[in-house]
Amino acid sequence: GRIFVIELIEPFSQVFSKQFTDSVLQIEYREPRVLVSLRNGALVVFNRDREGRWDVENYQIIVIDTTGRKVRRIAEVEGKAWCGSGPTISVCDVNSYRILERIDAGVLA
């Protein structure tokens, strides 16, 4: 998948793109970051640089599911990303890029 970033900070307007090895499933924007979930079970975190522009080269990747199940949903709440992958919900700290907790939701009847 590929995402496009349109930077509208004066005096420059630019368009960047970033290609990933797998499909992009969801993009979640919460200032000051963008979270991108991928089909291969990864969560990509984009932050802004010191000038306030999106840093599309120095992003972080958090592997949510090592079995390759896709990250279907992301919800960021108070600096933590709640990521749904298969029957598991992973709670990640998007500042330290660590998984804090995994919750097994089990099989729904």
Side-chain angles (χ1 to χ4, degrees):
R2 180 180 294 273
I3 64 168
F4 291 89
V5 178
I6 301 170
E7 191 77 66
L8 297 175
I9 296 177
E10 294 295 332
F12 303 105
S13 294
Q14 298 181 14
V15 177
F16 303 99
S17 71
K18 188 67 186 170
Q19 178 72 43
F20 296 102
T21 57
D22 217 330
S23 301
V24 172
L25 298 179
Q26 183 179 346
I27 300 173
E28 178 81 15
Y29 169 74
R30 289 279 193 270
E31 187 64 36
R33 69 186 56 86
V34 171
L35 305 175
V36 178
S37 70
L38 301 179
R39 185 178 183 89
N40 65 3
L43 178 70
V44 182
V45 182
F46 289 96
N47 290 295
R48 293 185 184 271
D49 64 17
R50 292 181 184 183
E51 287 81 38
R53 297 179 175 274
W54 290 111
D55 190 347
V56 295
E57 296 304 320
N58 297 308
Y59 55 88
Q60 299 295 320
I61 297 176
I62 305 170
V63 177
I64 301 299
D65 193 311
T66 58
T67 64
R69 288 182 295 206
K70 52 190 160 195
V71 177
R72 290 186 173 267
R73 300 285 182 262
I74 311 167
E76 186 179 348
V77 180
E78 297 180 5
K80 294 178 182 60
W82 292 65
C83 303
S85 177
T88 305
I89 300 169
S90 299
V91 181
C92 307
D93 183 326
V94 293
N95 296 307
S96 66
Y97 313 111
R98 294 184 308 115
I99 296 175
L100 303 173
E101 184 176 1
R102 292 187 195 274
I103 302 164
D104 184 6
V107 179
L108 299 175

